[in-house]
Amino acid sequence: MMSQYKRTYITKADFILHGGDYNPDQWLDRPDILEDDIKLMKLSHTNTFTVGVFAWATLEPEEGVYRFEWLDKVFDDIYSIGGRVILATPSGARPAWMSQKYPEVLRVNASRVRQLHGGRHNHCFTSKVYREKTQQINRLLAERYGNHPALLMWHVSNEYGGECHCDLCQDAFRDWLKKKYNNDLKALNNAWWTPFWSHTYSDWSQIESPSPIGENTVHGLNLDWKRFVTDQTISFFENEVVPLRELTPHIPITTNFMADTYDLIPFQGLDYSKFAKHLDVISWDAYPAWHNDWESTADLAMKVGFINDLYRSLKQQPFLLMECTPSLVNWHKVNKAKRPGMHFLSSMQMIAHGSDSILYFQWRKSRGSSEKFHGAVVDHDNSVENRVFKEVAQVGKALEKLSSVVGTNRPADVAILYDWESNWALNDAQGFAAETKRYPQTLVQHYRPFWEQDIPVDVITKEQDFSGYKLLIAPMLYLVSEKTIARLKEFVANDGTLVMTYISGLVNEHDLTYLGGWHKDLQEIFGMKPVEIDTLYPRDRNRVNYRGRSYELKDYATVIELNTAKVEGIYEDDFYANTPAVTSNQYEKGQAYYIGGRLEDQFHRDFYQELINKLGLKPVVSVKHGKGVSVQARQAPECDYVFVMNFTEEKQPIVFESKVKDLITGEEISGELILDKYEVRIVEKKR
Ligand code: GLA
Ligand code: ZN
C-alpha cells in the first residue's frame, strides 16, 4: 500500500534485463567460442550478463598474481554490443591454493569435521583470512571495473547459505551471545530454559553450536544459533561490500536469494527479512519443477506467485529474477524440460509479480563437470536453430516491448505475514505432528483465494508497517513476541481486519511458552482463548460447519473458550463437537477472526469471499476467466500493466471488461478472447 503507483528504478537500466550467468573463464582457450558468444547474445535479444561468479581461480591463479585481461575483454565486448555486466564477487568458490595454504577457510560441519577443498559455498564465514582475501579481490575488481560504463550492478558472492562450526565460529557465536545477553550468563540460562536435563551453563566457554548429538534439546540455543548464522552471514557479506560501497557508491548491490525446491517454499537457512535491509536490490533464483507429476501447473504457478510476492515485499519495490533455466536443470530428482511456451509463460509471470529481469543460469552449457547437462541459452550444438535458443529470443523480443513496466510496483490491500523465526521454532518444536506442521504451505493455502481472484497480496514480515493494509492474515504464527502482539493489537484497534489460526501465539521470542494461558492481549483482540490443540493422525478427519456448509478438517483443531467473540463455525465431530471452530470479534474499530483448524481450500475460498466483499477488495483490472488463469498487474502512475496467464493445458476463454491495448501486438482489444494452452496476453489499461 505504501508504494501506491510509484516508480522505483532499482538499477540504472530503463529496460528489462535479459541474459544471465556467463562463464567465459571456462572457455579462455576457445577464442572462437567467446566470439560466438557475443554474436549469439545479439541474436538471442539478451542484454545483461553476470560474470565472475566462480572465477576466482582464473582471476588469482596464484596468491597475489592476478589475471584481469580476459575480464577486461569480456566487459568491452559486451559493452560493444550495448550490453551490461553484473559483476560478481567470487567468494562462492575459492582457488585450491588458498584452501591448501590456509585450511581455516574451509568449512567445518555440524559433526565438527573440516570439509576438504572442493565443490563451492563451503567456506567459513568467520575466518579472518577468508574475509581479508575476499575483501582484497573485491577491492581490485571495484578499482578496475567500478567506472566501466557496462557495469550495472554487484552480485555479491552466490546463494549465501549453510553454516560453519569451526572453533573460530564457536568463539564468534559466544561473543554474539555475550552481546545479546549483556554478558549475563544467568539471563541466557533463563532464556534457554537450561535447567531442563541439566543444561545449565556455568561458563560461556561451555556453549557450543548445535550438533547432531542432542541438537533438538535446548530450543533457545537452536533458535539463537540460527539467528547467529544469519547475522554472521550478513557480517561476512558486509565485509565483502566494504570496498564496493567505498569505491562504487553509484552501483547497486544484490546477492541472489533462493527457494527450497520441491515444495517451492522460501529458503529456510537464512532470515531474509534481516538480510534484505543490507541489500539495495532483492534478487532470487527460481527453479520451479514445471510439468511435475504431483501438482497442477496452476498450483505450482501459485506457489511461485507467493514467493515472488514475499521477496518483492521485502523492500516494497521491484526485484530481479537472477537465475532461472530456459529449459531444464540438472539437480531436480527428474530434470524435465519446459514444454514449448512454458518458458515464455513462466518468464512473464515473474515480470507480472514485480521482476525487472529475466536472467538465466546459464548462458552457455559448460562442456564438463556437474552442470554440463543444465539448461542454457546456448547448447553444446552452438546453434541458433535450437528450440530453447529460439524461445529465449522470443522472450527477449517481448521484453523489449515491455520496458515501460520497469520500476512499477504492485500496491496491495491484503498482506500475509511470513516469519522465518516462527517457522524455525515451530519446526524445532517437539509436539504437534512431525510431518504436518507445514507453515509455509499453510500460508500458501491462505494466499490461494486471492490468487484465484487476481487480488494483489503483499507477503510481509513482522517488522514491516501493517497500517496500510485493510486485511492482515497471520496463520500459524507460533512464535510471537510481546512487541509483535502489541503491533497486531494496534492494527486491529485502528480499523484493521486480522485473521489468525491454530498454533498461533504459543511462544515468545525465546521459544518459551506464555504462562497463564494465551497472551491476554491476544485474548482481548480475539475475544476468546484457545484452550487445547488437538493433533490428528494423517487419516483422521473432522468437519466444520460454517454458514450452513460443511467443510473437511484435518491435521489440527483448537478447542476454543469464548468470551466476547461471535461463533462463525462449529466442529461437527469428536469431543469438541458443536463447540466454536471459527470465531470473529470486534475489537475497538477492527475485526479479528480466528480459524481453529486446518480446513480444506473451499473453506478458505468461502471465508475470504466474505471479507473480500466486506472490505471491497478488488483485482486491479477485471478480467473474467476460468480456473488456472491468473491475472496479475503492475501499476504505473498513468496506467496498469496487466498480465493474463493461462496456467492450464487447455484453451481458456477470457473476457476483458474494458478496452485495453496489447503490448506485444499493439492491437486494441476488448470482450472475449480465447487463450491457448500456456498463452499470455500482456495489456495496458489507461487509468
Ligand atoms: C544455483 C546456482 C548456480 C547454478 C544453478 C543451477 O542457483 O547459483 O550457480 O548452480 O543453481 O540450477
Ligand atoms: Zn568457521
Side-chain angles (χ1 to χ4, degrees), residues 495-515:
D495 199 20
T497 299
L498 174 67
V499 178
M500 275 185 124
T501 69
Y502 55 94
I503 314 193
S504 288
L506 299 188
V507 299
N508 70 8
E509 68 275 25
H510 300 299
D511 206 353
L512 293 173
T513 55
Y514 284 107
L515 295 181

Side-chain angles (χ1 to χ4, degrees), residues 114 116 259 265 285 302 387 478 667:
R114 196 173 289 281
L116 296 174
I265 57 173
D285 302 342
M302 175 180 66
R387 172 179 77 88
Y478 166 73
E667 58 178 337

Side-chain angles (χ1 to χ4, degrees), residues 35 48 58 67 120 136 159 215 315 327 409 433 575 653:
E35 230 170 84
T48 300
T58 308
R67 294 272 176 274
R120 58 173 175 177
Q136 200 173 31
E159 295 193 334
E215 68 176 351
K315 288 191 99 66
S327 53
N409 213 329
F575 69 92

Side-chain angles (χ1 to χ4, degrees), residues 453-659:
Q453 295 208 42
D454 312 323
I455 294 169
V457 173
D458 281 353
V459 183
I460 62 168
T461 58
K462 58 181 179 295
E463 273 159 27
Q464 288 180 274
D465 188 1
F466 303 156
S467 68
Y469 300 102
K470 291 182 181 165
L471 174 60
L472 176 61
I473 305 168
M476 291 187 83
L477 195 61
Y478 166 73
L479 176 152
V480 57
S481 65
E482 300 253 2
K483 192 174 135 204
T484 304
I485 293 175
R487 297 189 57 230
L488 292 172
K489 196 170 176 190
E490 198 193 323
F491 169 76
V492 182
N494 290 307
D495 199 20
T497 299
L498 174 67
V499 178
M500 275 185 124
T501 69
Y502 55 94
I503 314 193
S504 288
L506 299 188
V507 299
N508 70 8
E509 68 275 25
H510 300 299
D511 206 353
L512 293 173
T513 55
Y514 284 107
L515 295 181
W518 216 33
H519 195 285
K520 65 172 187 353
D521 285 346
L522 290 174
Q523 292 193 37
E524 218 183 314
I525 306 170
F526 288 91
M528 45 67 76
K529 66 174 175 198
V531 288
E532 234 183 287
I533 297 169
D534 191 18
T535 302
L536 309 185
Y537 275 93
R539 272 181 291 196
D540 289 341
R541 292 291 182 270
N542 197 332
R543 299 195 74 82
V544 164
N545 188 298
Y546 171 77
R547 308 250 184 280
R549 279 184 75 172
S550 174
Y551 300 91
E552 189 177 83
L553 177 150
K554 60 176 189 179
D555 301 340
Y556 299 104
T558 312
V559 182
I560 291 170
E561 200 177 289
L562 275 188
N563 186 1
T564 54
K566 234 177 83 190
V567 180
E568 304 283 356
I570 54 169
Y571 295 109
E572 292 183 9
D573 201 2
D574 224 313
F575 69 92
Y576 37 92
N578 296 317
T579 70
V582 181
T583 64
S584 72
N585 189 50
Q586 166 102 32
Y587 173 71
E588 299 206 3
K589 288 194 227 142
Q591 287 284 330
Y593 293 82
Y594 188 88
I595 302 171
R598 184 168 284 166
L599 287 152
E600 61 175 301
D601 287 341
Q602 193 53 44
F603 169 80
H604 292 108
R605 292 192 183 103
D606 294 343
F607 172 82
Y608 283 114
Q609 189 59 54
E610 276 191 28
L611 295 184
I612 288 168
N613 296 343
K614 202 169 143 195
L615 300 171
L617 305 172
K618 286 194 185 74
V620 171
V621 169
S622 165
V623 181
K624 273 203 194 129
H625 59 77
K627 253 188 116 192
V629 172
S630 170
V631 181
Q632 302 290 336
R634 293 179 65 167
Q635 302 190 270
E638 61 293 343
C639 65
D640 300 319
Y641 299 107
V642 186
F643 296 69
V644 187
M645 301 169 278
N646 180 5
F647 288 106
T648 75
E649 283 66 30
E650 288 86 45
K651 288 189 189 301
Q652 295 284 347
I654 57 166
V655 182
F656 283 105
E657 298 194 325
S658 47
K659 207 189 257 167

Side-chain angles (χ1 to χ4, degrees), residues 657-682:
E657 298 194 325
S658 47
K659 207 189 257 167
V660 292
K661 187 176 136 202
D662 188 306
L663 282 173
I664 306 297
T665 65
E667 58 178 337
E668 296 269 340
I669 41 181
S670 63
E672 196 185 273
L673 198 99
I674 307 287
L675 287 186
D676 255 327
K677 160 183 176 177
Y678 300 155
E679 192 182 344
V680 191
R681 298 297 289 250
I682 304 144

